Amino acid sequence: RGPCWALSRVSSGGRDLKALRALVLNYSLGSPKPIEPLRVLLAFALQNNALVAASAGNDGAQGYGALPHFPAHYAPELEGLLGVGALQPSAQEPGTWERMPSSTAAPHVEISAPGLTALAAYGGTSFATAYVTGALALWRNACPDLVPASVELKLRARATRDPLSGLVFRQLVGDGMLDLRAGFNCDPRAP
């Protein structure tokens, strides 16, 4: 109901689909079961230029055998939807970051971000997704005409592995840690 309400509210009940490009959706939730109506809704939102980030899940203890985490599991299929993994400061190498042990390892992890709250009492991919959602909002503000797939490619191309320690396989941290230091380039052909 939430995404339907947001899509309807922003687009004046579906009468102004161009207005959806102002929408940034955050899915800090998930289910191990596919939700076909949600996949269709996300595809519709992305086709109408809404931006979407989804937490990759907190089943890291299951290793590579973790169940899929929907809607993030749709990320490889739906261009513009970012599946987000979680990072934490490394205890072994101060000044670097490592994958949070709870962050799901899966093909739908496309980018990672810090997954801890300021007090470090809670953490996980939901908290990391908030950072990526904020980055999407900044990109949307700077480059309102970029399509979701272009924004996703730019974020992923600019992700960095420099501050990461430990294992940094693609299914663990995606393309690396969210990085906004390069600023915004609205040319859809440039990374």
Side-chain angles (χ1 to χ4, degrees), residues 1-165:
R1 288 183 187 169
C4 288
W5 179 85
L7 289 167
S8 177
R9 181 88 171 175
V10 169
S11 67
S12 301
R15 292 184 300 276
D16 182 11
L17 295 180
K18 288 185 179 181
L20 293 181
R21 72 179 181 187
L23 190 61
V24 180
L25 297 171
N26 174 317
Y27 285 90
S28 293
L29 51 82
S31 167
K33 297 180 181 176
I35 308 163
E36 183 59 18
L38 181 56
R39 189 194 68 74
V40 170
L41 181 75
L42 290 174
F44 173 80
L46 291 162
Q47 288 168 354
N48 287 282
N49 294 316
L51 299 176
V52 185
S55 61
N58 297 305
D59 291 324
Q62 304 299 318
Y64 291 108
L67 292 172
H69 192 77
F70 295 93
H73 188 75
Y74 296 129
E77 170 192 349
L78 298 175
E79 287 186 348
L81 168 63
L82 280 160
V84 183
L87 302 170
Q88 65 184 13
S90 172
Q92 286 74 36
E93 295 181 47
T96 66
W97 294 81
E98 63 189 13
R99 175 185 156 265
M100 286 187 83
S102 63
S103 185
T104 296
H108 61 266
V109 177
E110 297 180 322
I111 196 165
S112 292
L116 294 174
T117 63
L119 300 176
Y122 302 100
T125 59
S126 290
F127 299 92
T129 303
Y131 283 106
V132 174
T133 302
L136 290 174
L138 290 171
W139 270 97
R140 176 54 79 218
N141 186 59
C143 306
D145 295 326
L146 277 182
V147 297
S150 293
V151 176
E152 175 190 354
L153 288 174
K154 287 176 179 292
L155 279 177
R156 292 178 65 186
R158 293 166 178 221
T160 180
R161 291 178 178 263
D162 290 344
L164 300 180
S165 66

